[in-house]
Amino acid sequence: MADYSFGGTEEENAELKKLEAAVAEDPDSFEHWEKLVRAAETLEGGLNRNSSPQAISTTRDVYDRFLAKFPLLFGYWKKYADLEFSIAGTEAAEMVYERGVASVTISVDLWTNYCAFKVETSHDPDVIRELFERGAQSVGLDFLAHPFWDKYLEFEERLESPDRIFAILSRVVHIPMHQYARYFERFRQLAQSRPLTELVPAETHQRYRQEVEAEGQIEIQAGSQQLKADKGELEIEREMRAKIDNFHLEIFTRTQTETTKRWTYESEIKRPYFHVTDLDEPQLANWRKYLDFEDQEGDYARTQFLYERCLVTCAFYDEFWLRYARWMSGRKDKEEEVRNIYQRASQLYVPIAHPAIRLQYAYFEETCGRVDVAEDILQAMLVPVPGHVETMVALAHLKRRSAGLEAAMDIYRTQLGSPDIDTFGKAALVAEWAKMLWKIKGSVEEARQVYQKSQQWYINSQAFWTNYFLFELEQPSSAETEQVQYQRIKQVYEDIRRKASLPVQTVKDLTSYYLAYLLERGPNKDATKEYLTVDREVNG
């Protein structure tokens, strides 16, 4: 925490300390963070070049921590850049913008603001143009990218660069977006004065010329006579421009069709930006349908861009990260891209309360031969949630696959001895340990001993008793051994009813298994009698 005993008045310091304490107590509260940022911004009446070093340092520290916590808030990156510009000038502001577009790469607003800032603060057109091109690669496909493209065109207009303006429009007219028609009309108008070679690909230009020339001579009225003459260059150009205009109208029609198909989904997006509040189910359903649509269309660039857009709005929802990783893993030579998806989801966005994405990340690294990384991921998960059974089981099986059964057993022994794991977690681990001895080592007796020696510690554990009972039920037997197995099953069932402290419904559920066993495998003629007795006692 920054030292707020310097910078600002005593009242401002007191308020900042109070807000810092609130953030420390609940670091996930966006409301607390927002209040802290506002308080820091207004130190000493608002920061500028003449503010004290302490106040400037305090505000930078707050912004840095806030945007590390919520990196997708493009509006705050813009505010931070403006703040740095007022304090330290162009270079400092530019560094903030670079951090911002690295954090929320597909923000049309942030890229538009950054490029506008560059236009006003740089005198090198090539440097500015390079930034616009980076922005075009990042957000050019957005359905609502028109503010960015308008800014790019405005920049080239200021430089009076008609060639570049037409080149930009030649790209934009192919993109399905909200204001596609406006760009096409301008493109079509400019095309009338552009050289033919710029208007279509070289092979299309050559084909059109051959077609026009093959259509033969033209008729010319000379007094009362009609004469035939070869076409001059002007006539050839006129006819070619007519063909090219039709070619461009076909582009317009295709773009219009693609735009209309996407409008079905775009019109349902009510929140295209990140916020900490939950999305309602219709919004989530719309994103699922939209992704289904782009998946089926099969355009890699458009599909990837939609996933990135979705994961700004749905950053906290692991289902979309998992879906993105699965989709990317289906593409060839995309190991690093898949890894990047898992890292962003695990390290920045998906809460630890939703472990599926981190478990999948560990499995991915294991398949890539990075077993040590996979183990680190699972161990890291157990730091904030030391009793998470699924993670502990995943870690044990990772060890089993990479280092053998005994290494897996060591994981269970270590976890069972940990004071950080509660009784219910340990009970589930005991069941998993026994399962490993039974199904992997093949030692039924060792597994049985684990259950028998542990039952006194887990009287209240539904997981322990359910697994123990099903373990005995699933053991194979024959006519010669069924009586012995019956005694084992009956003993566990009696312990469930007499010793264990389980919910009534759980006892009834397990009883249904026992009753079915008596009818199907009961070893003597008294099985039906016992069936009726137990049924009456438990269900009567």
Side-chain angles (χ1 to χ4, degrees):
M1 185 187 299
D3 184 357
Y4 290 113
S5 60
F6 301 101
T9 65
E10 290 185 9
E11 292 80 2
E12 287 173 333
N13 280 315
E15 178 66 13
L16 282 165
K17 287 178 180 177
K18 183 181 77 172
L19 294 172
E20 277 286 357
V23 165
E25 184 177 348
D26 185 6
D28 294 327
S29 170
F30 178 74
E31 183 181 353
H32 292 340
W33 276 105
E34 199 171 30
K35 289 179 180 177
L36 179 60
V37 170
R38 281 201 301 267
E41 286 175 333
T42 55
L43 274 173
E44 300 179 350
L47 296 187
N48 54 56
R49 293 177 187 272
N50 298 319
S51 298
S52 69
Q54 295 86 351
I56 292 173
S57 176
T58 293
T59 305
R60 282 173 171 161
D61 174 70
V62 170
Y63 258 109
D64 287 341
R65 288 184 292 127
F66 173 61
L67 289 169
K69 181 72 176 176
F70 303 108
L72 297 177
L73 293 170
F74 69 89
Y76 280 92
W77 285 110
K78 169 69 164 57
K79 290 176 68 176
Y80 193 8
D82 290 343
L83 185 69
E84 283 291 5
F85 184 65
S86 67
I87 294 171
T90 302
E91 186 175 344
E94 195 166 311
M95 289 175 65
V96 172
Y97 271 121
E98 284 293 333
R99 290 169 57 193
V101 295
S103 298
V104 55
T105 309
I106 54 96
S107 171
V108 173
D109 293 297
L110 190 57
W111 273 107
T112 304
N113 286 326
Y114 185 13
C115 290
F117 171 81
K118 195 74 170 177
V119 168
E120 298 302 323
T121 57
S122 174
H123 301 291
D124 188 335
D126 290 334
V127 170
I128 299 171
R129 193 171 287 122
E130 181 182 349
L131 185 65
F132 270 113
E133 281 301 314
R134 285 176 56 202
Q137 291 297 316
S138 297
V139 300
L141 293 178
D142 197 293
F143 195 80
L144 297 175
H146 54 275
F148 171 81
W149 289 114
D150 287 347
K151 186 62 65 176
Y152 196 175
L153 290 166
E154 177 189 309
F155 162 69
E156 296 295 1
E157 286 166 358
R158 288 171 62 172
L159 295 179
E160 299 181 349
S161 305
D163 294 356
R164 295 185 182 277
I165 291 171
F166 188 74
I168 294 170
L169 289 169
S170 299
R171 296 157 64 185
V172 175
V173 294
H174 293 276
I175 302 172
M177 67 170 70
H178 184 261
Q179 298 192 15
Y180 70 97
R182 173 165 65 88
Y183 292 112
F184 181 78
E185 286 303 320
R186 188 174 181 190
F187 168 78
R188 192 182 186 193
Q189 182 182 13
L190 291 178
Q192 296 173 9
S193 59
R194 304 303 302 171
L196 293 177
T197 53
E198 289 185 14
L199 301 181
V200 288
E203 61 274 13
T204 305
H205 177 274
Q206 183 179 5
R207 177 164 55 85
Y208 282 172
R209 186 174 183 92
Q210 289 172 349
E211 290 174 359
V212 169
E213 290 176 344
E215 288 168 0
Q217 296 175 317
I218 59 172
E219 293 183 348
I220 301 175
Q221 190 71 31
S224 61
Q225 295 182 322
Q226 278 192 333
L227 303 176
K228 291 187 176 182
D230 292 332
K231 294 176 182 177
E233 279 302 317
L234 286 177
E235 182 61 25
I236 291 174
E237 179 175 338
R238 185 185 67 78
E239 292 186 23
M240 284 187 66
R241 284 193 181 275
K243 285 180 174 288
I244 289 170
D245 189 55
N246 287 330
F247 177 83
H248 289 160
L249 286 172
E250 290 174 6
I251 293 174
F252 173 78
T253 301
R254 285 196 299 272
T255 303
Q256 183 181 53
T257 301
E258 294 301 314
T259 301
T260 302
K261 288 193 292 189
R262 287 164 178 82
W263 179 246
T264 302
Y265 310 103
E266 291 287 346
S267 62
E268 295 299 319
I269 298 174
K270 308 304 181 188
R271 194 178 82 189
Y273 51 85
F274 169 80
H275 200 274
V276 295
T277 54
D278 292 337
L279 287 162
D280 57 30
E281 183 54 35
Q283 288 288 287
L284 297 174
N286 184 60
W287 279 113
R288 295 183 194 111
K289 292 175 187 175
Y290 201 174
L291 289 168
D292 288 342
F293 165 77
E294 286 293 4
D295 280 348
Q296 292 166 5
E297 290 293 293
D299 185 306
Y300 173 82
R302 292 207 62 84
T303 306
Q304 182 187 25
F305 185 77
L306 186 64
Y307 270 111
E308 291 291 344
R309 274 184 68 196
C310 170
L311 287 165
V312 168
T313 303
C314 308
F316 292 156
Y317 293 85
D318 61 348
E319 68 165 286
F320 295 103
W321 288 103
L322 287 165
R323 177 172 177 163
Y324 189 16
R326 289 167 183 145
W327 175 81
M328 186 64 77
S329 66
R331 317 276 85 74
K332 188 178 180 181
D333 298 325
K334 295 296 181 182
E335 180 180 314
E336 280 305 315
E337 286 83 349
V338 175
R339 180 171 289 115
N340 177 263
I341 292 167
Y342 280 127
Q343 287 176 342
R344 287 157 58 200
S346 302
Q347 298 171 11
L348 293 174
Y349 302 117
V350 179
I352 193 67
H354 302 283
I357 190 72
R358 292 167 177 82
L359 292 172
Q360 201 83 349
Y361 180 20
Y363 303 149
F364 165 75
E365 291 293 8
E366 184 184 358
T367 63
C368 295
R370 290 154 54 99
V371 175
D372 54 337
V373 175
E375 183 176 349
D376 288 344
I377 293 166
L378 297 174
Q379 292 284 12
M381 289 175 67
L382 292 173
V383 174
V385 281
H388 190 254
V389 174
E390 190 178 0
T391 302
M392 291 185 284
V393 172
L395 180 58
H397 282 290
L398 171 69
K399 279 294 191 181
R400 175 183 60 79
R401 292 188 294 270
S402 61
L405 187 61
E406 193 56 38
M409 298 298 180
D410 286 341
I411 294 293
Y412 284 134
R413 294 186 190 101
T414 300
Q415 298 297 336
L416 287 169
S418 171
D420 296 324
I421 303 175
D422 62 23
T423 302
F424 293 97
K426 289 182 177 180
L429 283 185
V430 167
E432 291 293 336
W433 187 2
K435 186 188 296 183
M436 188 174 284
L437 288 167
W438 165 34
K439 294 194 172 183
I440 297 171
K441 189 176 182 181
S443 178
V444 174
E445 194 53 43
E446 283 187 69
R448 183 174 288 122
Q449 288 177 14
V450 167
Y451 279 121
Q452 290 174 345
K453 292 177 180 178
S454 303
Q455 60 179 297
Q456 60 179 316
W457 307 109
Y458 308 116
I459 297 298
N460 301 322
S461 172
Q462 182 176 335
F464 175 85
W465 287 103
T466 299
N467 280 282
Y468 186 10
F469 186 51
L470 294 178
F471 160 75
E472 292 293 6
L473 276 178
E474 291 178 28
Q475 298 311 310
S477 61
S478 63
E480 291 76 23
T481 62
E482 189 60 60
Q483 183 63 38
V484 174
Q485 191 58 28
Y486 162 70
Q487 293 298 330
R488 289 173 178 150
I489 293 169
K490 183 176 181 178
Q491 184 61 56
V492 177
Y493 177 69
E494 289 296 327
D495 287 344
I496 288 171
R497 289 186 61 190
R498 313 300 178 201
K499 293 182 180 179
S501 299
L502 301 178
V504 172
Q505 189 56 50
T506 300
V507 174
K508 286 187 175 184
D509 291 342
L510 294 177
T511 296
S512 68
Y513 286 107
Y514 186 58
L515 294 176
Y517 164 77
L518 289 173
L519 293 179
E520 296 168 6
R521 291 169 53 191
N524 55 54
K525 60 183 179 180
D526 293 329
T528 52
K529 180 179 179 180
E530 183 179 357
Y531 170 92
L532 292 174
T533 301
V534 171
D535 179 57
R536 183 181 67 252
E537 292 175 353
V538 175
N539 300 318

